[in-house]
């Protein structure tokens, strides 16, 4: 089996699975209870919060644990605004969690505008700058595009916001960046930043939101008052502790295979270009993470190719797993792809658990599948 859909989710580290098992079966106690073993669970959550805060360059009191990166995005966009009107600027290629929240804000009366992106999915800085106004209340631009791996220059973006729209809050969906790029929320000068566990080899069902101390969040889930009243619910101790462990483990492991990843990514791209006509490589080297290889192929259906490769024991994606079941063509449209390429958009993504040869082997199988599909279509 070759797994090439790590941008959708990752296999849990063994060390994280062991921690999750410990807090699910041994120290399974509710952190809000007051007996000694429950206090140990409470202390474990506190330590995990400190780990995530340190990895983000934040203070412990600025970290809110959530059930996912999507939930963190929802809290950031829907619970942070104090003004009841104004402009909201969102990157046109944002994850559906941010995009749908922006649509909800528009229904609530805010003026929502979408910042154009380049062919590889990064926000066009000049076009973004032109959208900033004095009445802008919120900006949300992802750190790394989940569809293409394009890296946005967040520091440049926040600098423009502080200069032209000083009253605006800046949020970034960092789900695809955390664990792959160094992240320091102070240096980036963001007000809100979302991360997720299952993208970095932690369990599904846990994420976190950084919110600067000056940002007031209204309650998202009402109940017992956990997470400073923003997200009430009994804490997912096992997931939170495993998330913190993954955050400690991932950077040394990713850094250790960086050179091989870069070479493997280059070799895979060259193989595709040499062997397939009418192909667009969306993930541009130097502008996108080397763990992504997003492409679009003319005259084929991505879903068909996914099933063909699945039968061969190779798993790839057609794009964000959160939107792959939708007929929405928003992403290929905003990337400027010609319509005949829309159905053939594919995403291959690797992690530190992949062998160096996996990406190239997957591309070789993909080339064979594309040739077979085109031959069949001509009959």
């Amino acid at each position: 089996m070759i797994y090439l859909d790590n941008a959708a989710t990752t296999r849990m580290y063994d060390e994280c699975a062991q921690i999750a098992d410990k807090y699910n079966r041994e120290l399974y106690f509710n952190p809000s209870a007051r007996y000694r073993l429950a206090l140990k669970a409470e202390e474990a959550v506190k330590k995990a919060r400190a780990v995530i805060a340190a990895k983000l360059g934040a203070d412990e009191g600025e970290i809110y644990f959530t059930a996912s990166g999507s939930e963190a995005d929802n809290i950031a966009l829907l619970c942070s605004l104090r003004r009841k009107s104004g402009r909201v600027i969102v990157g046109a290629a944002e994850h559906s969690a941010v995009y749908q929240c922006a649509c909800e804000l528009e229904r609530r009366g805010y003026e929502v505008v979408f910042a154009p992106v380049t062919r590889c999915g990064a926000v066009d800085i000049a076009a973004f700058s032109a959208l900033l106004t004095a009445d802008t209340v919120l900006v949300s631009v992802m750190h790394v595009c989940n569809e293409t791996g394009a890296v946005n220059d967040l520091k440049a973006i926040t600098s423009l916001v502080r200069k032209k729209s000083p009253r605006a809050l800046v949020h970034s969906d960092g789900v695809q960046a955390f664990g792959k790029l160094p992240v320091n929320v102070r240096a980036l000068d963001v007000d809100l930043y979302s991360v997720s566990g299952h993208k970095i080899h932690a369990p599904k069902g846990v994420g976190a939101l950084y919110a600067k101390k000056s940002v007031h969040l209204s309650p998202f889930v009402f109940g017992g008052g956990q997470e400073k009243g923003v997200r009430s619910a009994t804490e997912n101790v096992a997931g939170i502790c495993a998330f913190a462990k993954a955050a400690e483990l991932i950077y040394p492991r990713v850094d250790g295979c960086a050179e091989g990843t870069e070479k493997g990514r280059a070799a895979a791209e060259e193989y595709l270009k040499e062997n397939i006509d009418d192909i667009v490589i969306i993930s541009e080297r130097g502008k996108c993470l080397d763990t992504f290889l997003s492409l679009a192929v003319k005259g084929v259906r991505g879903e068909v190719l996914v099933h063909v490769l699945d039968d061969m024991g190779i798993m790839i994606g057609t794009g964000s797993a959160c939107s792959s079941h939708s007929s929405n063509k928003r992403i290929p449209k905003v990337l400027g792809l010609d319509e005949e390429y829309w159905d053939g958009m594919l995403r291959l993504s690797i992690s530190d658990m992949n062998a160096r040869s996996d990406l190239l082997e997957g591309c070789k199988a993909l080339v064979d599948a594309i040739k077979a599909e085109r031959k069949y279509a001509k009959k």
Side-chain angles (χ1 to χ4, degrees):
M1 182 189 85
I2 298 178
Y3 179 67
L4 298 172
D5 200 18
N6 288 274
T9 196
T10 56
R11 175 187 165 186
M12 203 187 312
Y13 285 141
D14 291 342
E15 297 93 329
C16 296
Q18 291 166 8
I19 287 175
D21 184 64
K22 174 183 175 181
Y23 285 98
N24 274 323
R25 300 203 300 160
E26 296 176 29
L27 291 175
Y28 53 83
F29 308 99
N30 190 323
S32 297
R34 294 297 90 193
Y35 36 81
R36 285 192 294 271
L37 289 175
L39 294 177
K40 286 188 176 182
E42 181 186 40
E43 182 63 22
V45 171
K46 182 179 179 181
K47 289 181 179 178
R49 197 183 307 276
V51 169
I52 299 299
K55 294 299 179 183
L56 289 172
D59 293 335
E60 294 175 38
E62 297 174 312
I63 301 300
Y64 298 80
F65 285 118
T66 66
S68 63
S70 290
E71 185 179 88
D73 287 338
N74 274 251
I75 295 172
L77 271 70
L78 302 180
C79 301
S80 64
L81 293 174
R82 303 274 67 84
R83 284 181 280 170
K84 302 301 181 182
S85 63
R87 172 169 284 198
V88 174
I89 304 173
V90 173
E94 294 294 310
H95 186 277
S96 55
V98 170
Y99 176 78
Q100 293 297 339
C101 282
C103 293
E104 172 61 23
L105 288 173
E106 188 170 42
R107 286 189 286 270
R108 295 183 185 185
Y110 292 91
E111 178 197 11
V112 175
V113 294
F114 295 96
V117 297
T118 64
R119 191 63 173 260
C120 69
V123 166
D124 183 316
I125 298 291
F128 169 80
S129 179
L131 296 175
L132 289 167
T133 57
D135 71 335
T136 299
V137 294
L138 176 66
V139 169
S140 184
V141 173
M142 60 174 59
H143 199 168
V144 170
C145 179
N146 59 290
E147 300 281 355
T148 68
V151 181
N152 278 304
D153 188 344
L154 272 190
K155 183 59 180 175
I157 288 169
T158 54
S159 294
L160 284 169
V161 175
R162 301 310 179 204
K163 180 180 179 181
K164 301 183 71 172
S165 308
R167 297 176 65 193
L169 294 174
V170 180
H171 165 256
S172 183
D173 180 335
V175 166
Q176 294 292 348
F178 188 53
K180 299 164 191 165
L181 293 176
V183 176
N184 186 301
V185 291
R186 297 272 190 267
L188 293 171
D189 196 22
V190 292
D191 299 294
L192 301 140
Y193 194 90
S194 308
V195 294
S196 177
H198 74 105
K199 307 294 188 181
I200 64 166
H201 307 289
K204 299 172 183 65
V206 62
L209 174 67
Y210 157 78
K212 189 184 292 184
K213 288 179 181 178
S214 59
V215 176
H216 174 75
L217 297 173
S218 57
F220 185 71
V221 178
F222 292 86
Q226 291 89 347
E227 299 305 308
K228 295 193 288 186
V230 172
R231 186 193 181 274
S232 294
T234 300
E235 296 90 342
N236 175 9
V237 180
I240 288 169
C241 293
F243 184 19
K245 185 62 176 179
E248 290 180 321
L249 293 172
I250 191 165
Y251 279 104
R253 297 184 182 187
V254 168
D255 291 343
C257 61
E259 183 179 350
T261 298
E262 183 180 0
K263 291 180 179 178
R265 165 69 176 75
E269 178 178 335
E270 291 308 310
Y271 185 85
L272 289 172
K273 289 179 176 179
E274 290 172 2
N275 290 277
I276 293 294
D277 295 326
D278 295 323
I279 185 172
V280 175
I281 303 297
I282 303 169
S283 298
E284 191 175 340
R285 271 184 283 166
K287 296 181 180 180
C288 300
L289 293 180
D290 288 323
T291 52
F292 280 75
L293 179 51
S294 293
L295 57 124
V297 185
K298 183 178 179 180
V300 298
R301 290 184 58 83
E303 288 187 10
V304 172
L305 296 174
V306 167
H307 291 308
V308 171
L309 265 65
D310 193 15
D311 289 340
M312 301 167 64
I314 300 171
M315 284 165 275
I316 66 173
T318 54
S320 172
C322 297
S323 60
S324 61
H325 298 296
S326 170
S327 59
N328 190 342
K329 300 300 181 183
R330 175 174 64 93
I331 297 301
K333 282 182 181 179
V334 300
L335 293 179
L337 290 173
D338 292 336
E339 192 168 351
E340 58 261 39
Y341 286 86
W342 288 3
D343 288 333
M345 192 168 170
L346 297 164
R347 183 186 67 185
L348 290 73
S349 51
I350 61 174
S351 78
D352 53 301
M353 284 190 171
N354 281 103
R356 290 191 176 187
S357 61
D358 281 357
L359 188 58
L360 181 57
E361 290 303 310
C363 286
K364 288 180 178 179
L366 177 59
V367 165
D368 292 341
I370 291 170
K371 288 181 177 179
E373 181 63 18
R374 282 178 170 172
K375 183 177 180 181
Y376 175 80
K378 290 179 180 179
K379 290 183 178 180

